Amino acid sequence: CHPPEPSFVRPAAQLQFPSTAEGRAQYRAMITDIIADARRRAAVLFERVPRMPVVARPYPPFMGGRAASYSLGTIDGSRPGVYQYPEYDVTLTRFGARTTAYHEAIPGHHFQGALQAEDNTLPKFIKDRVFGGNSANGEGWGLYAEHLTAEQGWYDGDPAGLLGQLEMELFRA
């Protein structure tokens, strides 16, 4: 005898976007909405937020199913921070999209990198990342961002997103 499925469990097809131009456009719109919502929530949660903007964009098709990433923009705003995510050679799903956006963009790597770059009290070699980034510090901040957003209820109403966050937490454990 199996226990009944919880009411929030849905067939996987309902959590996925079709591998079509329309499905990719829907996925991009969802990522854009997640980033806009995170920006609004972070403005209330954090005393300091970066002046540097961040944008989300997919990798070009030839880059296939790479892992999501973040690239720091410029202090003068001429180039925003960029959160890039795969759209090709991957399954586009709602499941991990939210936690990945939080980890890579807001309040994750974008906040950590942009606030460090904007902080005039830091030595120039740290501000400018002369020796590169510190992986433990950077990934630690990304993990902190994932945990903080869950703790603050940013997944409320999105059980699939919360399961994605828990899956990533379990993966790292």
Side-chain angles (χ1 to χ4, degrees):
C1 177
H2 296 286
E5 282 190 338
S7 62
F8 63 82
V9 174
R10 293 174 177 79
Q14 291 182 354
L15 299 176
Q16 294 179 1
F17 294 87
S19 187
T20 63
E22 182 181 339
R24 286 187 289 278
Q26 292 170 350
Y27 188 75
R28 281 192 297 276
M30 179 191 65
I31 297 293
T32 299
D33 290 346
I34 289 170
I35 297 296
D37 181 61
R39 185 177 290 114
R40 180 185 56 76
R41 289 175 188 254
V44 174
L45 190 59
F46 289 84
E47 185 175 314
R48 288 180 52 221
V49 296
R51 292 182 306 275
M52 181 188 301
V54 63
V55 296
R57 65 174 66 125
Y59 289 115
F62 73 87
M63 294 183 80
R66 297 176 54 139
S69 66
Y70 172 77
S71 299
L72 187 63
T74 56
I75 299 297
D76 66 6
S78 62
R79 193 183 76 232
V82 179
Y83 158 44
Q84 282 194 281
Y85 55 90
E87 280 189 341
Y88 294 89
D89 301 328
V90 295
T91 301
L92 300 177
T93 177
R94 289 174 171 78
F95 191 66
R98 186 175 293 275
T99 197
T100 302
Y102 295 156
H103 178 103
E104 298 294 340
I106 299 173
H109 293 315
H110 174 65
F111 264 41
Q112 186 241 349
L115 287 172
Q116 177 178 315
E118 294 170 1
D119 188 343
N120 291 324
T121 66
L122 292 174
K124 186 168 176 47
F125 78 93
I126 293 175
K127 247 179 69 115
D128 294 346
R129 298 172 54 139
V130 171
F131 300 112
N134 177 313
S135 182
N137 185 39
E139 291 309 313
W141 183 270
L143 184 58
Y144 163 72
E146 291 177 33
H147 184 75
L148 176 70
T149 55
E151 195 175 72
Q152 292 296 312
W154 291 20
Y155 293 92
D156 290 355
D158 183 9
L162 181 58
L163 286 173
Q165 185 271 328
L166 293 171
E167 178 191 48
M168 292 309 295
E169 191 173 319
L170 182 61
F171 170 74
R172 287 185 181 88

